[in-house]
Each structure stands twice: as structure tokens, then as C-alpha cells.
Amino acid sequence: MIILDLVLKGKWYDMIERGAKLEEYREIKPYWDKRLFSRPYTHVRFRRGYTKKSMTYTIPGEIRKGFGFAACWGAPSNKQVYIIPIGTRVE
């Protein structure tokens, strides 16, 4: 299991926990290029802010570039982002 650790604001963490948000987004920048594509991640661990509360999900498919859902899931409406698909909860 190769885990990608991501810190989220409470709003997005809660939506993923409820099953209301099925993708997480990151800006297309050199930092994320290096971080997301340096290893073949199989799971993503979300942390609620900088607390100990976390949850782990599978990554079903590939991390890709595209336009996310701006209205409900927080992606920018006018530019592409990295899209991290969220699968089934493991922990």
C-alpha cells in the first residue's frame, strides 16, 4: 500500500466522510507534479486540518488533469487541476 497524505479543511473532509465528494483537487504546479507522480499511489489518507483525525481511501484509477466540479466540490471554475479519484474507505 503506497499512501498519499493530504491535509483538508474541515468542510471538504466532512463531505468526503459523508460520501458527498468523490474527487479531491490540487493545483497544477511543479510541487504537485513531483509529489503526485513520483510514486504509484494506491491509497489516499485525508487528515482533518492538522488534527489526528484521518481516513484512508483507495484511489480507483489514475490521477489526471481536468476540470473539476466547481459549484459543489471546490475546484476552480476556469482552470484545470489534478483530479484524485476517491474510492472505497479502508480505515
Side-chain angles (χ1 to χ4, degrees):
M1 193 169 16
I2 302 172
I3 300 174
L4 171 65
D5 279 297
L6 297 176
V7 176
L8 301 177
K9 290 183 178 182
K11 173 183 179 178
W12 306 124
Y13 183 94
D14 295 342
M15 285 181 73
I16 291 170
E17 190 172 41
R18 286 194 314 268
K21 185 177 181 192
L22 305 176
E23 300 174 339
E24 178 56 25
Y25 308 114
R26 290 295 183 257
E27 290 184 72
I28 296 177
K29 291 188 172 186
Y31 172 80
W32 289 109
D33 283 337
K34 185 176 179 181
R35 177 119 187 258
L36 294 175
F37 300 106
S38 64
R39 304 178 75 188
Y41 293 106
T42 59
H43 294 75
V44 58
R45 179 184 300 130
F46 297 112
R47 297 193 185 282
R48 192 173 203 278
Y50 290 95
T51 67
K52 291 183 179 182
K53 188 173 182 182
S54 69
M55 55 190 174
T56 304
Y57 288 83
T58 60
I59 298 176
E62 296 182 5
I63 298 171
R64 65 190 192 284
K65 289 182 183 180
F67 292 94
F69 295 101
C72 54
W73 291 349
S77 59
N78 58 348
K79 62 181 178 179
Q80 288 191 330
V81 291
Y82 288 120
I83 300 172
I84 303 163
I86 300 169
T88 56
R89 188 167 180 175
V90 180
E91 302 177 358

